Amino acid sequence: SPLMSVVRHTVVTLPTPVNISTWWNFGSLLGVCLAIQIFSGLVLSLHFTAHTDLSFYVVIQSFGDVYYNWWFRALHANGASFFFIGLYLHIARGMYYGSYVFKEVWSVGVVILLLVMASAFLGYVLPWGQMSFWGATVITSLFSALPVIGSDVVIWLWGGFSVDNATLTRFFGLHFLLPFTVAGLAGLHLFFLHDQGSSNPLGVSSDFNKVVFHHYYVLKDLVGACFFVGPLLALVYFNPWLLGDPENFIEGNPLVTPHHIQPEWYFLFAYAILRAVPNKLGGVVALGVAVLILLYMPFSPRTSIKGLSFYPWGKVMFFSLIGVFILLTWAGAKPVEEPYVVVSQVLSFLYFSYFLLIGPLTRIQDK
């Protein structure tokens, strides 16, 4: 049948470079994460009420009254963290090995990243804890920095004049729908990937040196999934709230502001860049560019060899960027005071400098 033919060409007879490494496993691992998130989210949605007076208590009550609801919530919450770990490593691999030269694949991937970030933010608001409520208030208020239409956009997002029941209802609806959109785009991502072929660590054409996907890489992906899902289940069973914020176990209260409002750890790098700019509109622009700058990568100066494997100074810059990303995550969790503001500004400058300098630097080495 046509359907089985598509499956056969996707996971059985697909020609795959013989020399790709474990770093290429993260594409399939992200598919596993997406399936886990959709399944656990569907189960949780059966016992959730999108109302400001009820949602917090429904979530708490479900722990004891609904069989294994605590497990699904812990799996969903920690699965989001593992999803972003896989996303960031997948993007880092693409940047290091030059996968961004496949413009269609890379562009769809960046759109998927944006939608996953939006879905994670919307989902974080649903339990209606203190950090959920104030996080929604702070992030949506950023749109007020837009010239002329800013205030109207914020009221439209809220569905009123403050973050309230209308906001929670529409956030729940969007959070439910976005993962299915991500799944559709993931299919498009795979279509372009299979049309153009995978890259490889050497950055050279591998058309003459390929093997079929099954069983060589099916088994490798299964082993990778075990090593990835194992720590996730260990976290769910032994310390399920390790990555959560204690403030979110308090019901959202618009009259009491937390001492330090911060998003989940996977948004902290962008949050640090936002706070590094003293101007509100400038901070919002920097926040958006911090992610959208990935769309510039396919149009950066081309090198003789794809990737940074044979560019020593390019490797130094890349691993420096990894360090900058980790330090930005650390700075985003700190209060808005000295010396953290200055540190965030320096790190933000280094973050954007990488994308502007890596192309010319490798071109110089080519010459």
Side-chain angles (χ1 to χ4, degrees):
S1 68
L3 178 61
M4 291 307 297
S5 178
V6 170
V7 173
R8 181 171 175 270
H9 288 300
T10 301
V11 296
V12 179
T13 62
L14 177 71
T16 309
V18 74
N19 64 329
I20 60 175
S21 65
T22 305
W23 291 110
W24 272 258
N25 274 47
F26 285 97
S28 62
L29 293 180
L30 288 172
V32 172
C33 284
L34 181 60
I36 290 173
Q37 291 303 96
I38 289 177
F39 176 69
S40 59
L42 284 172
V43 173
L44 292 174
S45 69
L46 300 176
H47 307 285
F48 181 76
T49 303
H51 195 284
T52 53
D53 295 334
L54 299 173
S55 59
F56 181 78
Y57 297 102
V58 165
V59 170
I60 299 299
Q61 185 184 22
S62 298
F63 281 4
D65 292 353
V66 179
Y67 190 67
Y68 257 72
N69 183 271
W70 70 269
W71 187 83
F72 281 107
R73 190 189 171 199
L75 181 68
H76 197 68
N78 291 298
S81 292
F82 275 70
F83 202 163
F84 275 95
I85 291 172
L87 270 173
Y88 291 149
L89 290 174
H90 192 56
I91 293 168
R93 189 270 300 166
M95 292 170 61
Y96 184 84
Y97 289 111
S99 300
Y100 49 80
V101 298
F102 304 129
K103 293 181 181 179
E104 293 86 357
V105 181
W106 184 262
S107 300
V108 173
V110 175
V111 174
I112 290 173
L113 172 65
L114 292 171
L115 291 181
V116 170
M117 295 178 82
S119 183
F121 165 68
L122 296 172
Y124 190 60
V125 177
L126 299 185
W128 208 247
Q130 269 287 74
M131 203 57 71
S132 296
F133 172 81
W134 286 101
T137 303
V138 170
I139 298 302
T140 52
S141 296
L142 294 176
F143 288 93
S144 64
L146 296 173
V148 183
I149 61 171
S151 299
D152 294 331
V153 170
V154 172
I155 293 173
W156 176 75
L157 286 172
W158 287 346
F161 296 100
S162 65
V163 175
D164 209 335
N165 195 53
T167 317
L168 181 63
T169 304
R170 61 184 57 186
F171 276 23
F172 175 60
L174 287 171
H175 181 67
F176 189 91
L177 292 174
L178 278 180
F180 297 102
T181 307
V182 170
L185 286 173
L188 184 63
H189 188 63
L190 283 174
F191 171 79
F192 285 129
L193 175 66
H194 294 168
D195 180 58
Q196 298 177 354
S198 297
S199 58
N200 62 84
L202 290 178
V204 297
S205 174
S206 59
D207 290 340
F208 56 89
N209 195 14
K210 291 186 176 182
V211 293
V212 291
F213 192 81
H214 179 76
H215 55 86
Y216 294 99
Y217 291 111
V218 167
L219 293 177
K220 192 172 183 178
D221 284 345
L222 288 174
V223 172
C226 291
F227 277 102
F228 199 70
V229 174
L232 171 59
L233 292 178
L235 192 62
V236 168
Y237 282 113
F238 295 107
N239 201 345
W241 315 122
L242 174 67
L243 302 175
D245 195 305
E247 289 277 357
N248 233 29
F249 288 89
I250 305 170
E251 186 182 8
N253 186 349
L255 302 179
V256 179
T257 308
H259 292 296
H260 179 45
I261 300 173
Q262 66 181 59
E264 288 285 80
W265 70 266
Y266 37 78
F267 292 145
L268 287 174
F269 83 97
Y271 191 56
I273 293 173
L274 167 71
R275 300 187 316 180
V277 182
N279 177 269
K280 187 175 182 180
L281 179 59
V284 172
V285 171
L287 172 67
V289 173
V291 180
L292 293 175
I293 199 170
L294 292 172
L295 291 172
Y296 163 74
M297 295 297 290
F299 304 97
S300 60
R302 291 292 182 89
T303 54
S304 298
I305 304 172
K306 281 189 297 185
L308 302 175
S309 299
F310 300 98
Y311 296 95
W313 287 108
K315 286 200 266 190
V316 170
M317 286 192 66
F318 176 81
F319 289 110
S320 298
L321 176 68
I322 300 298
V324 166
F325 182 88
I326 294 171
L327 290 173
L328 277 171
T329 301
W330 166 80
K334 298 298 180 181
V336 189
E337 59 187 34
E338 300 299 340
Y340 304 118
V341 174
V342 174
V343 169
S344 296
Q345 290 172 343
V346 173
L347 292 172
S348 300
F349 174 77
L350 295 175
Y351 176 85
F352 290 114
S353 297
Y354 171 84
F355 295 95
L356 299 176
L357 297 178
I358 188 64
L361 184 67
T362 49
R363 289 291 294 163
I364 290 171
Q365 186 165 337
D366 278 341
K367 289 185 176 7

